[in-house]
Amino acid sequence: MGFSLGSLLGGLRSGPDEASVNSVTLFVLLLCSCIVIGHLLEKNRWMTESVTALVIGLCSGIIILLTTEGKSSRLLLFNEEFFFIYLLPPIIFNAGFQVKKKQFFRNFITISLFGAVGSLISFVIIWLGTLQLFKSLDIGFLEVKDYLALGAIFSATDSVCTLQVLNQDETPLLYSLVFGEGVVNDATSVVLFNAIQKFDLSHISSTIAFQFVGNFLYLFLTSTFLGVAVGLLSAYVIKKLYFGRHSTDREVALMVLMAYLSYMVAELFDLSGILTVFFCGIVNSHYTWHNMTESSKVTTKHTFATFSFVAEIFIFLYVGMDALDIEKWNFVSKSPGKSVGVSAILLFLVLVGRAAFVFPLSFVSNLTRRSQSEKIGFKQQVTIWWAGLMRGAVSIALAYKQFTMSGHTQLPGNAVMITSTITVVLFTTVVGGLLTKPLIRMLLPQPKQSSSMLSSETSQKSLTVPLLANGQDSEADLGANHIPRPTSLRMLLARPSRSVHYYWRMFDDACMRPVFGGRGFVPPVLDSPKEDILH
Amino acid sequence: MGFSLGSLLGGLRSGPDEASVNSVTLFVLLLCSCIVIGHLLEKNRWMTESVTALVIGLCSGIIILLTTEGKSSRLLLFNEEFFFIYLLPPIIFNAGFQVKKKQFFRNFITISLFGAVGSLISFVIIWLGTLQLFKSLDIGFLEVKDYLALGAIFSATDSVCTLQVLNQDETPLLYSLVFGEGVVNDATSVVLFNAIQKFDLSHISSTIAFQFVGNFLYLFLTSTFLGVAVGLLSAYVIKKLYFGRHSTDREVALMVLMAYLSYMVAELFDLSGILTVFFCGIVNSHYTWHNMTESSKVTTKHTFATFSFVAEIFIFLYVGMDALDIEKWNFVSKSPGKSVGVSAILLFLVLVGRAAFVFPLSFVSNLTRRSQSEKIGFKQQVTIWWAGLMRGAVSIALAYKQFTMSGHTQLPGNAVMITSTITVVLFTTVVGGLLTKPLIRMLLPQPKQSSSMLSSETSQKSLTVPLLANGQDSEADLGANHIPRPTSLRMLLARPSRSVHYYWRMFDDACMRPVFGGRGFVPPVLDSPKEDILH
């Protein structure tokens, strides 16, 4: 994925001669209103921030359409490279930074299975499905590669959407499965995209299959390694430079820049930037974060969350406004039925493709889980299937990458593909966004506590304990509010995975933390507020 | 100053087809190395962060020149609009946010005098000086407007450079005078630039002079009003939405976006964005900041400082790399003497122009100060003169705006102007950056405490007291370490200015704070860490 910065920074271009301080101002204004309205609707059990932003984006698109008399609906041109280089990294990094690490690594095999094998199954189904079903609709010229690309585009679960509907505190297992799948997914789709470019996939031989697997493993391991390496480097540098005479700004700036660097380096070497920055986030939260001054800890934690929050709203606002772009709908308006047909087929294939791997792979995964309570129940499988259905900005960005030349849809076939992608994205995001929370509440009722109580309690807690312990509650809190607690018998049965964690802790304490810092391995600063409280 | 976003976001363009993830990666890497090297050189009494960044920029410029075999020295094209829209606002906002308000407003008249009348004097001297002195050097064709523009470009004190060499804690009076002058300056130069466009300045009549003064007052008042209004709006919104069920991210995002909005709206209406965002920062620190949760307070304080810090380094790195751009030096290499001559003339005029208003206006200002200790001494005047000499990225940006078409220097005369501007900027920044600290230490020795001790003490304190009281130490600390304390007799004599502050406090407590919040006017949250410490 080598991007051109030229076109990338032209990403927000609204035409060389138009008044565009205008556009930025209006966009910032819309972001502000999204935040305020999102806050006011917070108590509403249906709306999520993403749906609010989408709706506001659509509304302002309509207003702009009316004021420009149908010429343009968007302030800014949707550019997939702007999205991949500026908006996606903070979101994924923050997810890695805030993820409950124990939960994530405990389910690592299942997550990899879903992310790698699962997306492959989904890819094949969507690819072959479109190849068959599009024949009946006469939709312009599509090459073999376009069908393969459709498979890759629509097999990708959108991690950003997942973050919006699943709550890490309410449903930690589902969250780590679906979100983790989305991250691993990215490596798969990079490999798929490369494979589409390189190999002649119409004749699959065992050699190609092996090459494919080898490629995936190489990419997965190098991306992970890069993320971990950059994370450790930043931990080491920040630990070494910590002499009390520290400047908070420098510390925070370095951490942010290093994290971003990991993503950019990964993109530079055609690795999976998402995977890299995710693992960089995990390492940062495990080591680097503990090496910082108390104010830096608070600052980084909230800064990453804020960056991610704003980027998410930005994306949905963007997609909402872009959806009304008149140019591509002009093509479609000549044959509306075709577009509806394509959207319906894609939606159907997405549903089927996801079902085709979630249930079988859950079954396989359950075989490895010995205790009954650790198995993924049917209701949970349904939720995983549903929550991963959403396609979002990643799909749109990939569709633009494949089907347009610099933001303009030239061939009718391509225009139909873009509008159908947008239709699918809008439909799944709005329906998924509105129904997922109620669905989870219906299928997986929380004993006693309502989820809204729980979440407000969580935010309360992060005000009370605060500034010191939070953001790092993974190890401490996990026992308290995660689904079923294993009894002592099950603990015995489940020993293997426990032992891996045990040996990791030994290694971590003996080798890693003394070098890279981490909780309890950084000498307490004498003038820290913690000390103030104690004395 | 209406900017085109199109060219603006093309600001980092390195050519449409070049590999430029490359460039961004390298640039982030350079930023990281600036931070680390800057930290390692911190104990060095000569080097400032800006000089370090400049030198690193120059070095990498040389390396790139060598590797590309003399084709290009820069990763990214310097674009004045990128600078004005993304890099400048966070720096100025942060300056307003962290400024010692009492000190600033106490010297407000002097600051306005320096910023408005002073830059006008400087402008006239540089304009007429270049008009006379350039005749002897045969440097291509320059229009009357170009000379006027030179006056406007070189009469502007660079607030960013000032921040680098003056320390608010060490020399609060000088800091607020020189930095405040730089801010007010901006309004003057916007008016000047507009006047150059509109009026026929070769025939100055009293009407035009009145129009000019009226314009300035209008611009100054509307810009300030806008900044204050947006600041109050954000204070009000954040206070009203504060129901305990607050999300920190939302709060932080809203505050940052509103601050940015104030700048963009000002630019939209051709006001002085710098003045607006500066006052927005002041209002934010006086009201909004106190309405937030404790973690938001810590986060915003450090986030603004970090943004500003990174933007500053970015600018100097940028200028350093841009300085070696081969294209414009090609023109110059044909007649090196000419370029040296122009640079020398400009430097001389900057020195004279600044001297011509600092000393007379200080004298005028001293007439209004009754007590001897409040007067601006001669040594202080010399320091003010010297510290404001630096010309920086603002000058380069304005020079590009005036003398190039989209980053390329076409006419030989223009190329000479650009290279001379860069020469003057490099010279003043490096010499000023290296010598100002020693100069201040020589001219204004601090009684007993060495300044490095003082600053480390300050940073110590901000770790001990922290998370609650700091960032807002203006009212509390001012008495302690600011220059000479008035005795009771002088207090009587100096009552007028004191009374203004007294009435403002009355008004503030009675009308403003109940509505907009502020220190002591926001009901303490029960679960705040402050409470934790008390109980």
Side-chain angles (χ1 to χ4, degrees):
Chain A
M1 286 203 198
F3 299 125
S4 141
L5 184 65
S7 51
L8 131 77
L9 276 162
L12 289 175
R13 197 182 305 141
S14 65
D17 296 318
E18 279 168 63
S20 32
V21 176
N22 227 314
S23 311
V24 178
T25 313
L26 199 52
F27 217 96
V28 174
L29 202 64
L30 285 178
L31 280 177
C32 288
S33 60
C34 280
I35 294 173
V36 172
I37 294 171
H39 178 79
L40 296 176
L41 292 177
E42 202 180 37
K43 291 245 161 128
N44 188 308
R45 56 186 285 186
W46 300 88
M47 292 297 267
T48 57
E49 211 100 42
S50 55
V51 177
T52 314
L54 258 184
V55 172
I56 291 178
L58 282 171
C59 292
S60 35
I62 292 171
I63 293 168
I64 296 163
L65 256 185
L66 293 177
T67 48
T68 59
E69 289 166 3
K71 273 180 203 149
S72 162
S73 79
R74 39 186 190 184
L75 292 167
L76 311 156
L77 204 69
F78 189 94
N79 184 303
E80 73 279 6
E81 289 165 351
F82 179 79
F83 169 77
F84 278 119
I85 295 217
Y86 293 120
L87 297 178
L88 204 51
I91 297 176
I92 306 296
F93 176 81
N94 184 54
F97 194 74
Q98 314 267 4
V99 82
K100 289 186 193 296
K101 293 185 282 290
K102 234 184 193 170
Q103 186 75 33
F104 181 79
F105 285 110
R106 188 178 286 163
N107 296 304
F108 195 65
I109 297 168
T110 313
I111 288 170
S112 310
L113 207 64
F114 276 30
V117 182
S119 355
L120 210 60
I121 294 174
S122 183
F123 162 73
V124 171
I125 288 177
I126 294 170
W127 163 40
L128 296 177
T130 47
L131 207 56
Q132 291 302 316
L133 295 173
F134 279 8
K135 278 178 190 164
S136 52
L137 304 155
D138 167 46
I139 28 143
F141 183 70
L142 287 185
E143 291 180 48
V144 181
K145 279 194 177 174
D146 289 339
Y147 289 106
L148 289 166
L150 276 179
I153 290 167
F154 284 99
S155 64
T157 301
D158 195 321
S159 345
V160 181
C161 288
T162 313
L163 289 174
Q164 292 277 330
V165 292
L166 291 181
N167 187 314
Q168 185 163 216
D169 297 313
E170 289 172 33
T171 50
L173 177 69
L174 293 183
Y175 177 89
S176 60
L177 283 181
V178 181
F179 177 73
E181 179 205 324
V183 171
V184 176
N185 221 334
D186 180 64
T188 322
S189 47
V190 174
V191 177
L192 277 175
F193 255 94
N194 288 350
I196 292 168
Q197 311 290 326
K198 280 187 209 158
F199 305 125
D200 180 12
L201 282 192
S202 49
H203 302 92
I204 296 170
S205 69
S206 58
T207 328
I208 286 180
F210 272 114
Q211 272 186 315
F212 187 87
V213 172
N215 250 333
F216 174 79
L217 286 178
Y218 166 78
L219 203 77
F220 187 88
L221 292 177
T222 45
S223 301
T224 308
F225 177 78
L226 179 67
V228 172
V230 174
L232 288 179
L233 180 67
S234 100
Y236 184 77
V237 169
I238 286 177
K239 182 163 179 262
K240 274 289 147 188
L241 293 184
Y242 188 102
F243 301 123
R245 65 182 175 103
H246 227 123
S247 141
T248 301
D249 313 336
R250 222 172 251 149
E251 202 168 51
V252 173
L254 198 64
M255 188 168 170
V256 173
L257 288 173
M258 293 278 279
Y260 188 62
L261 193 64
S262 76
Y263 183 86
M264 290 308 288
V265 171
E267 290 295 321
L268 195 64
F269 292 110
D270 289 332
L271 302 176
S272 160
I274 289 183
L275 211 60
T276 303
V277 82
F278 181 76
F279 276 97
C280 185
I282 289 181
V283 172
N284 267 334
S285 83
H286 192 65
Y287 297 111
T288 320
W289 195 75
H290 292 282
N291 300 343
M292 304 177 104
T293 57
E294 295 307 329
S295 23
S296 293
K297 283 187 191 176
V298 181
T299 306
T300 45
K301 178 170 180 280
H302 291 297
T303 305
F304 292 138
T306 307
F307 273 162
S308 163
F309 172 72
V310 173
E312 281 170 37
I313 294 186
F314 196 96
I315 288 173
F316 288 105
L317 203 53
Y318 221 56
V319 170
M321 289 174 98
D322 188 67
L324 279 171
D325 179 48
I326 208 73
E327 188 193 344
K328 45 185 173 284
W329 293 104
N330 274 341
F331 283 106
V332 177
S333 60
K334 292 166 199 158
S335 49
K338 205 182 282 176
S339 181
V340 172
V342 172
S343 308
I345 289 172
L346 285 174
L347 206 57
F348 170 73
L349 288 172
V350 166
L351 287 165
V352 172
R354 190 162 175 83
F357 79 84
V358 167
F359 299 106
L361 290 182
S362 298
F363 178 76
V364 172
S365 165
N366 279 343
L367 293 181
T368 65
R369 289 160 194 259
R370 300 193 187 175
S371 68
Q372 195 58 38
S373 69
E374 279 187 345
K375 289 188 197 286
I376 306 167
F378 181 71
K379 283 179 178 178
Q380 285 179 315
Q381 293 178 21
V382 172
T383 320
I384 291 171
W385 170 74
W386 175 262
L389 277 180
M390 275 174 284
R391 299 294 173 270
V394 174
S395 301
I396 292 192
L398 290 175
Y400 268 100
K401 208 179 163 76
Q402 180 71 18
F403 295 111
T404 66
M405 301 291 280
S406 65
H408 292 275
T409 43
Q410 270 134 357
L411 299 168
N414 287 355
V416 172
M417 284 303 126
I418 298 284
T419 50
S420 306
T421 309
I422 290 174
T423 312
V424 171
V425 165
L426 286 185
F427 186 81
T428 54
T429 309
V430 173
V431 172
L434 293 179
L435 294 186
T436 308
K437 275 186 186 176
L439 186 84
I440 291 173
R441 214 161 289 147
M442 201 182 73
L443 288 180
L444 311 165
Q446 300 267 325
K448 288 187 181 173
Q449 305 178 292
S450 88
S451 59
S452 71
M453 263 184 67
L454 195 103
S455 74
S456 78
E457 209 171 83
T458 313
S459 65
Q460 285 284 55
K461 192 194 61 199
S462 70
L463 280 172
T464 343
V465 187
L467 314 186
L468 298 169
N470 55 352
Q472 219 22 2
D473 46 3
S474 45
E475 270 122 295
D477 292 359
L478 207 85
N481 60 349
H482 101 262
I483 308 177
R485 290 221 63 170
T487 67
S488 51
L489 180 68
R490 279 206 300 274
M491 277 175 81
L492 273 170
L493 287 169
R495 191 180 282 175
S497 76
R498 209 159 296 274
S499 317
V500 172
H501 183 247
Y502 175 75
Y503 286 119
W504 159 247
R505 270 319 255 282
M506 292 256 294
F507 172 71
D508 195 26
D509 288 348
C511 306
M512 301 294 279
R513 294 197 190 198
V515 180
F516 299 109
R519 187 194 290 186
F521 271 78
V522 177
V525 198
L526 282 171
D527 47 11
S528 79
K530 205 174 183 176
E531 299 287 310
D532 265 17
I533 298 167
L534 290 176
H535 301 312
Chain B
M1 288 201 195
F3 300 124
S4 142
L5 184 64
S7 51
L8 133 76
L9 276 161
L12 291 174
R13 196 182 306 140
S14 65
D17 296 318
E18 280 169 63
S20 31
V21 176
N22 228 317
S23 312
V24 179
T25 312
L26 199 52
F27 217 96
V28 175
L29 202 63
L30 284 177
L31 280 177
C32 288
S33 61
C34 281
I35 294 173
V36 172
I37 293 172
H39 178 78
L40 296 176
L41 291 177
E42 201 180 39
K43 290 248 161 124
N44 188 308
R45 55 186 283 188
W46 300 88
M47 293 295 268
T48 57
E49 210 101 42
S50 56
V51 178
T52 314
L54 258 185
V55 172
I56 291 178
L58 282 171
C59 292
S60 37
I62 293 171
I63 293 168
I64 296 163
L65 255 186
L66 293 176
T67 47
T68 59
E69 289 166 2
K71 274 180 202 150
S72 161
S73 79
R74 39 184 189 184
L75 290 167
L76 311 157
L77 205 70
F78 189 93
N79 183 302
E80 73 279 4
E81 289 166 351
F82 179 79
F83 168 77
F84 278 119
I85 295 217
Y86 292 121
L87 297 178
L88 204 51
I91 298 175
I92 306 296
F93 177 81
N94 184 55
F97 194 74
Q98 314 267 4
V99 82
K100 289 186 193 297
K101 292 185 282 289
K102 235 184 193 170
Q103 186 76 32
F104 181 80
F105 285 110
R106 188 178 286 164
N107 296 304
F108 195 66
I109 296 167
T110 315
I111 289 170
S112 311
L113 207 63
F114 276 30
V117 182
S119 7
L120 209 60
I121 295 175
S122 183
F123 160 74
V124 170
I125 287 177
I126 294 169
W127 163 40
L128 296 177
T130 47
L131 208 57
Q132 290 302 315
L133 295 172
F134 280 8
K135 278 178 189 164
S136 52
L137 304 156
D138 167 46
I139 27 143
F141 182 70
L142 287 184
E143 291 180 49
V144 180
K145 279 193 177 175
D146 289 338
Y147 290 106
L148 289 166
L150 276 179
I153 291 168
F154 285 99
S155 63
T157 301
D158 194 320
S159 346
V160 181
C161 288
T162 313
L163 288 174
Q164 291 277 329
V165 293
L166 291 180
N167 188 312
Q168 185 164 217
D169 297 312
E170 291 172 32
T171 49
L173 176 69
L174 293 183
Y175 176 91
S176 61
L177 282 182
V178 181
F179 177 73
E181 177 205 325
V183 171
V184 176
N185 222 333
D186 181 64
T188 322
S189 47
V190 174
V191 177
L192 278 174
F193 255 95
N194 288 350
I196 292 169
Q197 310 292 326
K198 279 186 211 159
F199 304 127
D200 180 12
L201 282 191
S202 49
H203 303 91
I204 296 169
S205 68
S206 58
T207 328
I208 286 179
F210 272 114
Q211 270 186 315
F212 187 87
V213 171
N215 250 332
F216 173 79
L217 286 178
Y218 165 78
L219 203 75
F220 187 89
L221 292 177
T222 45
S223 300
T224 308
F225 176 78
L226 179 66
V228 172
V230 175
L232 288 180
L233 180 67
S234 101
Y236 184 76
V237 168
I238 286 177
K239 182 164 180 261
K240 273 290 148 188
L241 293 184
Y242 189 102
F243 300 124
R245 64 181 175 104
H246 226 123
S247 141
T248 302
D249 313 336
R250 221 172 253 151
E251 202 169 50
V252 174
L254 198 63
M255 188 169 170
V256 173
L257 288 174
M258 293 278 279
Y260 188 64
L261 193 64
S262 76
Y263 183 87
M264 291 307 289
V265 171
E267 291 295 320
L268 195 65
F269 292 110
D270 290 331
L271 303 177
S272 161
I274 289 183
L275 212 61
T276 303
V277 82
F278 180 77
F279 276 97
C280 184
I282 289 181
V283 172
N284 267 334
S285 83
H286 191 65
Y287 298 110
T288 321
W289 195 73
H290 291 282
N291 300 344
M292 304 176 106
T293 56
E294 296 308 328
S295 22
S296 293
K297 284 187 189 176
V298 180
T299 306
T300 45
K301 178 169 180 280
H302 292 295
T303 304
F304 292 139
T306 307
F307 273 163
S308 163
F309 172 73
V310 173
E312 280 171 35
I313 294 185
F314 195 96
I315 288 173
F316 288 104
L317 203 55
Y318 221 56
V319 169
M321 290 174 97
D322 188 66
L324 280 171
D325 179 48
I326 207 74
E327 187 192 346
K328 45 185 173 282
W329 293 103
N330 274 342
F331 283 106
V332 177
S333 60
K334 291 165 199 159
S335 50
K338 204 182 286 177
S339 180
V340 173
V342 171
S343 308
I345 289 170
L346 285 175
L347 206 57
F348 170 74
L349 288 172
V350 166
L351 287 165
V352 172
R354 190 162 176 83
F357 79 83
V358 168
F359 299 105
L361 290 183
S362 298
F363 178 76
V364 171
S365 166
N366 279 343
L367 295 181
T368 66
R369 291 160 194 258
R370 301 191 187 177
S371 68
Q372 194 58 36
S373 68
E374 279 188 345
K375 288 188 198 284
I376 306 168
F378 181 70
K379 284 181 178 177
Q380 285 179 315
Q381 292 178 23
V382 172
T383 320
I384 291 171
W385 170 73
W386 174 263
L389 277 179
M390 275 173 287
R391 298 295 174 268
V394 174
S395 300
I396 293 192
L398 290 175
Y400 268 99
K401 207 178 163 76
Q402 180 72 18
F403 295 113
T404 67
M405 301 292 280
S406 66
H408 293 276
T409 43
Q410 271 134 356
L411 297 167
N414 286 355
V416 172
M417 284 302 128
I418 297 283
T419 51
S420 306
T421 308
I422 290 173
T423 313
V424 171
V425 165
L426 285 185
F427 187 81
T428 55
T429 309
V430 172
V431 172
L434 293 180
L435 294 186
T436 308
K437 275 185 185 175
L439 186 85
I440 291 173
R441 214 161 289 146
M442 203 182 71
L443 288 179
L444 311 165
Q446 300 267 326
K448 287 186 182 174
Q449 307 178 290
S450 88
S451 60
S452 71
M453 263 183 68
L454 194 103
S455 74
S456 77
E457 209 170 84
T458 314
S459 66
Q460 286 283 58
K461 192 194 63 201
S462 72
L463 279 173
T464 344
V465 187
L467 315 184
L468 298 169
N470 55 352
Q472 217 23 1
D473 45 3
S474 46
E475 271 123 293
D477 292 357
L478 207 85
N481 60 352
H482 102 262
I483 312 175
R485 291 222 63 168
T487 67
S488 50
L489 180 68
R490 280 206 300 273
M491 276 175 81
L492 273 170
L493 286 169
R495 190 179 281 173
S497 75
R498 209 159 295 276
S499 316
V500 172
H501 182 246
Y502 174 75
Y503 287 120
W504 158 248
R505 270 316 258 281
M506 293 255 294
F507 173 70
D508 196 25
D509 288 348
C511 306
M512 301 295 279
R513 295 198 190 198
V515 179
F516 299 108
R519 187 195 291 186
F521 272 77
V522 177
V525 198
L526 282 170
D527 47 11
S528 78
K530 204 173 183 177
E531 299 289 310
D532 265 15
I533 298 168
L534 291 175
H535 300 311

